[in-house]
């Protein structure tokens, strides 16, 4: 299976604090990988490092390589804007722009040069359909996005990411702030998107990881403890620390 993201010796420091230490991880194309681990284990830092968002923070240093289709996204001549188009990040708390639903989804395409309204309208429709929002909002595209429900905001942020035709979707804490019905709907959406996109999601929910992921990476204190297929990690983990975490004996 082709590797979409090949992470080699990746370390991230916030000042003197080591958020990630020498991570080696190969993520197959067209699959969903769940990052699990306790709070502070480095899951969010790893997601941000995969689209070069960490460097928006002061005092962050990154060492190692992140190869996207074989090209190091931290290379000296890489277009960072293009990296962030190809690798979209959906943050833990969905934050729609204070614009209409239409303008939220059209925002990225406009930045990338799409000006014709007919083309923008088609992109918005396609993206909202892909994010399972078109039926709900097709008659209310001029409605302010900040008025949407939490579940709708989450799916809108996914639609906004899809509008620029990414190859990888990074999702930080899928169920944050959502009720059980909205969470189930988001999981169904990820299952539908998987295959067309490479998905990496950080989650605290073991059942969710089991339902939507093909692979699991367990992190603790910024170190990758174990990586493997989801069935293997849940049924026969190789590291005792992994078993302790997924069975709730983690201390």
């Amino acid at each position: 299976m082709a590797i979409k993201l090949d992470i080699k010796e990746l370390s991230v420091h916030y000042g003197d604090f080591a958020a990630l230490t020498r991570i080696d991880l190969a993520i197959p194309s067209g699959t969903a990988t769940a990052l699990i681990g306790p709070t502070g284990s480095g899951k969010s830092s790893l997601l941000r490092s995969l689209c070069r968002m960490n460097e928006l923070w002061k005092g962050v240093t990154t060492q190692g390589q992140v190869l996207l289709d074989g090209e190091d996204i931290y290379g000296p001549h890489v277009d960072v804007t293009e990296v962030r188009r190809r690798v979209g990040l959906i943050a833990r708390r969905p934050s729609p722009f204070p614009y209409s639903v239409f303008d939220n989804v059209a925002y990225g395409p406009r930045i990338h040069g799409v000006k014709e309204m007919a083309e923008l309208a088609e992109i918005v429709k396609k993206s909202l359909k892909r994010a399972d929002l078109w039926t709900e909002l097709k008659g209310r595209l001029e409605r302010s996005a900040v008025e949407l429900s939490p579940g709708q905001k989450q799916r809108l942020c996914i639609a906004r990411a899809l509008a620029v035709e990414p190859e990888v979707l990074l999702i930080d804490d899928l169920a944050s702030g959502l009720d059980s019905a909205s969470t189930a709907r988001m999981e169904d959406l990820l299952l539908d998107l998987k295959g067309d996109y490479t998905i990496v999601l950080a989650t605290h929910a073991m059942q969710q990881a089991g339902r939507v992921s093909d692979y699991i990476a367990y992190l603790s204190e910024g170190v990758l403890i174990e990586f493997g297929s989801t069935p293997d990690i849940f049924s026969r983990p190789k590291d005792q620390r992994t078993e302790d975490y997924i069975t709730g004996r983690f201390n």
Side-chain angles (χ1 to χ4, degrees), residues 1-7 22-37 46 50 198-201 209 213-220 223-243 246:
M1 185 176 292
I3 299 301
K4 190 66 177 180
L5 287 165
D6 197 1
I7 304 158
R22 301 181 70 177
I23 301 293
D24 286 301
L25 180 59
I27 297 175
S29 180
T31 63
T33 296
L35 308 180
I36 65 171
L46 180 53
L50 300 182
T198 301
I199 297 172
V200 186
L201 65 147
S213 71
D214 303 294
Y215 297 91
I216 288 179
Y218 170 51
L219 287 84
S220 180
V223 175
L224 178 62
I225 304 300
E226 187 169 352
F227 174 73
S229 73
T230 298
D232 284 348
I233 291 293
F234 276 109
S235 63
R236 43 187 178 275
K238 296 178 181 178
D239 194 293
Q240 184 63 46
R241 292 169 292 180
T242 307
E243 182 173 353
I246 63 177

Side-chain angles (χ1 to χ4, degrees), residues 4 29 34 52 81 92 102 105 133 135 141 150 191 194 222-223 240:
K4 190 66 177 180
S29 180
R52 292 190 60 168
T81 300
R92 180 174 303 171
F102 184 97
V105 182
L133 263 180
T135 301
L141 298 183
L191 289 171
K194 187 172 64 173
V223 175
Q240 184 63 46

Side-chain angles (χ1 to χ4, degrees), residues 13-108:
H13 287 77
Y14 302 115
D16 295 329
F17 173 72
L20 297 172
T21 303
R22 301 181 70 177
I23 301 293
D24 286 301
L25 180 59
I27 297 175
S29 180
T31 63
T33 296
L35 308 180
I36 65 171
T39 300
S41 61
K43 301 186 298 296
S44 296
S45 293
L46 180 53
L47 288 181
R48 290 193 297 266
S49 72
L50 300 182
C51 58
R52 292 190 60 168
M53 294 297 287
N54 272 333
E55 58 200 63
L56 298 178
W57 298 34
K58 289 185 177 180
V60 177
T61 57
T62 303
Q63 297 174 308
Q65 293 181 307
V66 176
L67 305 181
L68 176 62
D69 289 335
E71 181 181 8
D72 186 8
I73 68 171
Y74 287 93
H77 304 297
V78 169
D79 183 343
V80 178
T81 300
E82 179 64 7
V83 169
R84 292 173 183 161
R85 183 199 66 78
R86 294 176 66 192
V87 184
L89 174 64
I90 292 90
R92 180 174 303 171
R93 292 178 178 83
S95 301
F97 301 140
Y99 312 139
S100 69
V101 170
F102 184 97
D103 287 338
N104 263 266
V105 182
Y107 183 86

